[in-house]
Amino acid sequence: MPLTFTLDPAVTPELRDGLLDLWTDVSNAGGAVGYVPPVTREEIRPALVQHFASMAEGRVKLLVGHDEEGRVAATAFLTYNTHHLMTHWLWLYTVMVHPRHQGKGYGRDLLGAAADAVRRMDGIEAIRLTCRGGLGLERFYESCGYKEVGRIPGAIRVAPGDDRDDVIMLLSLA
């Protein structure tokens, strides 16, 4: 059953808790979303609060996918550029699909919903994201139309002696 996507939903306690659960579960399943397992909801909470503050300031939009039971199943944050020479593209951050839903095509659906949302935004011509190398994420994003446009070797230190590339991907909407 497909996910139901909402751009800029009302931030309720249920949404907050669903996002915390999603981010924690994805992180603890080995997802490359800013943390290394094991991680708790309380460790993630400050990052989510920071996203909410940026949303309140109008700098970030939230895209949420709910499953057939109404649970938060997928999410991505769309962040506008503040530099006046870069306002024609935005960042896609914290792209997540719950582990129980992986393998169902929901990641592809999430990226498609994000691209559709961005196409409706005036003046935005591209989406840029970064991903952690070594997990095959580049291949997934490429299969969704993104192109690798840069790579910083060893920029992400997952653990001592475990450095990963920071891969820069771009989706042109023009």
Side-chain angles (χ1 to χ4, degrees):
M1 186 152 204
L3 298 180
T4 303
F5 291 100
T6 307
L7 183 65
D8 291 333
V11 177
T12 63
E14 294 79 22
L15 178 64
R16 179 202 60 220
D17 290 346
L19 291 170
L20 281 171
D21 289 342
L22 173 66
W23 205 338
T24 303
D25 292 347
V26 167
S27 296
N28 285 329
V33 288
Y35 296 90
V36 176
V39 67
T40 67
R41 288 170 46 118
E42 292 312 308
E43 291 171 290
I44 291 172
R45 185 180 304 275
L48 182 60
V49 168
Q50 186 176 18
H51 279 308
F52 286 157
S54 295
M55 288 166 54
E57 294 168 355
R59 295 183 296 122
V60 172
K61 292 186 162 292
L62 171 62
L63 179 65
V64 176
H66 287 88
D67 65 16
E68 62 278 358
E69 297 173 11
R71 294 181 295 184
V72 174
T75 191
F77 290 90
L78 301 139
T79 303
Y80 291 104
N81 282 296
T82 57
H83 192 282
H84 67 279
L85 298 177
M86 297 183 191
T87 58
H88 60 289
W89 60 270
L90 56 69
W91 287 99
L92 190 63
Y93 284 113
T94 322
V95 177
M96 299 184 281
V97 173
H98 197 280
R100 75 176 163 268
H101 292 302
Q102 291 185 0
K104 299 178 182 178
Y106 291 167
R108 189 173 305 283
D109 293 345
L110 174 62
L111 291 176
D116 289 345
V118 173
R119 282 185 182 98
R120 292 190 296 272
M121 297 176 189
D122 287 336
I124 305 296
E125 300 170 9
I127 302 171
R128 184 171 162 181
L129 60 82
T130 64
C131 63
R132 184 185 305 170
L135 299 172
L137 296 170
E138 311 94 309
R139 289 187 303 279
F140 169 70
Y141 287 116
E142 285 172 353
S143 76
C144 294
Y146 285 78
K147 291 185 178 25
E148 182 176 329
V149 296
R151 181 179 289 258
I152 304 169
I156 301 169
R157 179 156 293 157
V158 178
D162 187 2
D163 294 346
R164 309 285 177 87
D165 293 354
D166 188 16
V167 182
I168 304 158
M169 309 289 295
L170 185 75
L171 176 67
S172 175
L173 302 173

